[in-house]
Structure formats: C-alpha cells, structure tokens
C-alpha cells in the first residue's frame, strides 16, 4: 500500500519480494524504490501541498457517479487530469492519449477492476515525474526525443532490466521512429509506454516464475487464458 505521510512524503510500505534484484531480471525494483518513491509529484507540479493534488483527483472523480461510488477514476478521467490540469500539462508539455492512460491504469490496477484509486493515482504520478526527469537528462538539446543508444543505456544501466541484445532490438523497432538526418529517436510518450509495459510484464512474469530451491529461474508456465489476461490489459 502506498501513502502520503503527515509531512507529505510519498512512501511504499512494502516492496514485494518478486521485485528484488535477481540474476534473471536485473535490479529494476531498486530503481522504483530509490527513485520513483523519493520524488514528490505535487511539488513538481507546483502545488502547495499533497491535498491540492487530491482535490484535482476528487474533482474529476465526482463528475461520474460510478467513479464516486468506487472512489476511483477511469482512463478518460486520467486523460482529462493530465491534459487539462494547467500545472500538470505545463510540466510535461505533451498531449496524453486515452490509450496510453488505459495502459498506465492497467500497470497499477492491483484491484483488477479497471479503475484507478487514489493510491494508484499518486504512484503513477510519481512514476511519470521520475521518468520525465530521466528523459530530460538524456534529451540534451531539448528536442523532445532521445537517441536509441540513450534508451538502451537507460533500460539496462539506470532501470536495471536484464535484457538481451535481441530483445533490445525488438524494443527499438516497436518504440522508436527513424527521422531523416537524425537517426533512430524515441519520444517521451513512447518512452512512457515502453516503461509501463516493461514494468508490468516483468512483474507479471516474475509472479509466475518457476522457483527452484527458492531461487528464481527466469522461466514460467502460462496457461493460454492467463497469458491473454496479462498482455491484453496493456
């Protein structure tokens, strides 16, 4: 469970065992513990306090009686918050699509109901601010793109995923665009989409890892229906 404490600091009470470093999956869990959960989204958006961010959440939530009854929002509501809250829109300076908002909700949908509760909402914003800081650090000229070599460095060295060269090549084909005279580039929204899926798919696979003597093996068995449920939500 994630929460804000009385000082307005964001915390993760318990980080799951299957997100700890391993030879099979790398150390991506450390990135979330050390970076994502130390960033304060409400400060990045220049709100006066965490409660100001909660007002934004509850305002959009209460516009729909179904949302209000669940104390949660849906993809179109998240899209509205990101695109129409001035301080948030001015921070990221991109137009968020409903499709991307849907997969971001799915990444953190621990209740598996298709809705995003307040705790999930705050964790998502922590992720987005952290990812945006990383992206800006590697977008040296402020063009809104990072190069393929920078993306590979982020995935392996900073995020800590244990990924083969062949898998990285597949990732670049899926999430990059080739621009004349500029090479293979990645935009921030594609960077977010990739980051969401890497985390969600890795978490889902690790939950099903065929442990041997208590150690992860990097192998898992999926039933067809279980596999579809994992991938189709993203």
């Amino acid at each position: 469970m994630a929460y804000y404490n009385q000082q307005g600091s964001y915390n993760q009470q318990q980080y799951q065992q299957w997100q700890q470093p391993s030879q099979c999956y790398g150390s991506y869990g450390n990135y979330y513990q050390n970076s994502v959960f130390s960033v304060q989204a409400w400060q990045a958006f220049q709100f006066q306090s965490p409660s100001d961010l909660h007002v934004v959440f509850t305002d959009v939530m209460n516009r729909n009686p179904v949302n209000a009854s669940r104390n949660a929002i849906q993809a179109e509501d998240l899209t509205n918050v990101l695109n129409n809250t001035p301080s948030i829109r001015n921070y990221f300076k991109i137009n968020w699509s409903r499709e991307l908002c849907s997969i971001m909700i799915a990444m953190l949908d621990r209740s598996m109901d298709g809705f995003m509760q307040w705790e999930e909402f705050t964790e998502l914003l922590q992720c987005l601010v952290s990812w945006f800081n990383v992206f800006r650090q590697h977008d040296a000229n402020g063009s809104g793109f990072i190069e393929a070599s920078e993306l590979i460095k982020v995935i392996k060295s900073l995020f800590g995923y244990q990924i083969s060269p062949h898998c990285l090549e597949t990732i670049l084909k899926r999430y990059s665009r080739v621009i004349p005279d500029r090479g293979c580039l990645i935009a921030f929204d594609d960077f977010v989409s990739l980051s969401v899926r890497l985390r969600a798919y890795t978490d889902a696979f690790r939950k099903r890892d065929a442990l041997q003597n208590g150690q992860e093996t990097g192998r898992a068995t999926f039933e067809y229906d279980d596999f579809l449920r994992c991938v189709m939500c993203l």
Side-chain angles (χ1 to χ4, degrees):
M1 176 182 177
Y3 66 103
Y4 280 109
N5 64 21
Q6 291 181 345
Q7 288 74 40
S9 297
Y10 186 80
N11 298 282
Q12 184 81 346
Q13 283 182 299
Q14 183 177 5
Y15 213 60
Q16 291 88 340
Q17 178 62 37
W18 42 263
Q19 289 177 313
Q20 298 306 308
S22 76
Q23 291 184 339
C24 301
Y25 304 103
S27 58
Y28 74 100
N30 284 346
Y31 169 76
Y32 286 96
Q33 283 183 299
N34 299 332
S35 300
V36 170
F37 300 129
S38 65
V39 171
Q40 306 304 321
W42 63 272
Q43 292 178 330
F45 303 143
Q46 299 185 341
F47 287 120
Q48 295 301 309
S49 70
S51 61
D52 292 337
L53 185 58
H54 191 263
V55 168
V56 171
F57 178 85
T58 55
D59 178 63
V60 72
M61 178 185 74
N62 289 331
R63 297 176 194 176
N64 185 329
V66 174
N67 291 350
S69 69
R70 293 172 174 263
N71 290 313
I73 61 174
Q74 301 177 61
E76 55 268 26
D77 308 305
L78 179 59
T79 308
N80 185 13
V81 168
L82 294 177
N83 286 333
N84 298 320
T85 304
S87 58
I88 296 178
R89 181 173 183 83
N90 291 339
Y91 184 81
F92 294 113
K93 293 184 173 63
I94 69 169
N95 186 55
W96 299 88
S97 69
R98 186 189 182 284
E99 174 64 19
L100 181 51
C101 287
S102 292
I103 70 167
M104 291 193 296
I105 287 179
M107 176 184 72
L108 295 171
D109 188 11
R110 300 184 179 99
S111 57
M112 303 297 290
D113 61 359
F115 288 75
M116 172 167 272
Q117 283 74 31
W118 164 246
E119 291 82 4
E120 296 165 347
F121 174 75
T122 53
E123 184 174 340
L124 173 64
L125 293 184
Q126 302 300 128
C127 289
L128 293 180
V129 170
S130 182
W131 288 334
F132 192 58
N133 288 338
V134 168
F135 190 87
R136 286 190 298 187
Q137 290 167 10
H138 292 82
D139 179 17
N141 60 2
S143 66
F145 296 94
I146 62 173
E147 296 180 359
S149 59
E150 295 294 325
L151 177 65
I152 292 173
K153 186 189 305 182
V154 168
I155 291 174
K156 298 192 68 175
S157 300
L158 181 61
F159 288 175
Y161 289 98
Q162 186 71 24
I163 297 179
S164 71
H166 291 300
C167 184
L168 288 169
E169 182 179 353
T170 299
I171 287 172
L172 288 175
K173 289 177 181 177
R174 169 64 178 83
Y175 292 98
S176 67
R177 62 193 75 181
V178 178
I179 299 178
D181 301 323
R182 298 185 62 187
C184 184
L185 302 176
I186 298 89
F188 178 62
D189 54 349
D190 290 325
F191 180 75
V192 170
S193 182
L194 165 61
S195 299
V196 166
R197 289 186 168 99
L198 266 180
R199 177 180 174 181
Y201 289 150
T202 305
D203 286 353
F205 193 93
R206 290 187 76 173
K207 289 178 185 178
R208 296 161 176 81
D209 188 288
L211 297 178
Q212 189 171 37
N213 298 322
Q215 300 296 316
E216 290 179 327
T217 65
R219 299 186 301 275
T221 300
F222 282 77
E223 293 184 2
Y224 177 57
D225 184 71
D226 186 29
F227 171 76
L228 288 181
R229 290 180 64 191
C230 287
V231 300
M232 292 302 290
C233 68
L234 293 167

